[in-house]
Amino acid sequence: MGEARGTQVEIEVTGIAHGGISVGRLDGRVVFVSDAIPGETVVAEVTDDSKKSFWRADTVRVLQASPHRRDHVWAEASVDRAPEDRAGGAEFGHIDSAHQRELKRQVITDSLQRMAGIDRDVVVEALPGAEDGTGWRTRVRLHVSESGVVGPYAARSHRVIPVESLPLAAAEAQVIAPLSEQFTGADHIDLVVPSVGNPFVLQGSADRKERPKAQRIVERVGDREFRLDVRGFWQVHRDAAQTLTTAVQDAVDENLFDPRAANLDLYGGVGLLAAAVGDRFGNHVRITTVESDPHATDHAAENLAEWVGANAVTGRVEHYLRGVLKDAGAAERDRLTRATVVLDPPRSGAGKQVVDQLAELSPQQLVYVACDPVALSRDLALFAGKGYDLTGLRAFDLFPNTHHVEAVATLVRR
């Protein structure tokens, strides 16, 4: 072990793995290769040979290129650069946009089959914007090196790479990005481009003991406005909030929806998806949104004020559900079994505890918004074991030129 690291090997790349890494084999050993495309033959430098079962490697030269290869949309991340000097965050930027979506489709369908035993195809739908997948990020985090240089991290590293461009960023963020400036007393810089008002450049420090003073911004989705903290969570693609609003509205089976039930919006943030449900079914909808960030919950209460039956609760989802299971009387239990639950968990997924709790509450249907196909598939397998069937699935390319993909799944109680 350790003898292969740093050596260059020729590899035929045959597939794509979760995480945006291509897969090949060398003398029977699996090799995960960055910056390659299935179907290519590349020369790759081994970066990790610590495991017996697989190695990791970076493409340094393409011998036989895929017809889907293009010049990288971000010059500072191109295969022409030494791997350690490539900017991270655009790992699919060398692949034409349509084929990026095809690879993401393959990852979703493979994850569903392997982890949940579900054979189901899906189309990864493009969002509005540039055909090459640039100019969509309304939130960009840049890091600051010890010497004050600003830039993204190198791929799979905490090394700051100086860059002259940010092609995935919205034009407004590109204009204000302080790429040539030196910073002291900060370890990162956030660029925030709200849909209403001026963009922001925000300094941040990991050593900061107190949360920075809250500053409110407004995001507009259709005719509706949402208030939130300038540093709070919001969908990054400028069209993502509208896309997910419409997708969640479409995913709810109206024949199973009861506006008077104890409907839930879990991991609800500032109330975007709760509002989507309310806008579809009317201001008499009863829905509780649950979020662990108290600042977001405060904003959710304001953003959902027009719905008399809306309620915003601060707390971890598993703690909230535990309390409901413990304290709900017969009438509330009945409202829960008639409920629709929307959940948008973090990348790690909802997990067994939350799935078990939801299954015990036994709602009519769930709409699961997922940013990780493996976590989604794992949770779908758990839900299937609790009597819930996958009845609808859509996928969206919310993160062009990266491996990330968003999915919206509908599950119905048998």
Side-chain angles (χ1 to χ4, degrees), residues 46-89:
V46 178
T47 59
D48 184 356
D49 63 349
S50 61
K51 306 289 186 183
K52 288 184 179 181
S53 57
F54 67 87
W55 288 350
R56 297 188 183 277
D58 291 324
T59 298
V60 294
R61 192 164 70 256
V62 179
L63 300 179
Q64 182 177 342
S66 165
H68 305 294
R69 180 173 283 274
R70 66 181 180 188
D71 290 339
H72 205 293
V73 295
W74 195 1
E76 289 94 336
S78 172
V79 73
D80 297 332
R81 279 193 165 201
E84 64 271 17
D85 292 329
R86 295 173 196 167

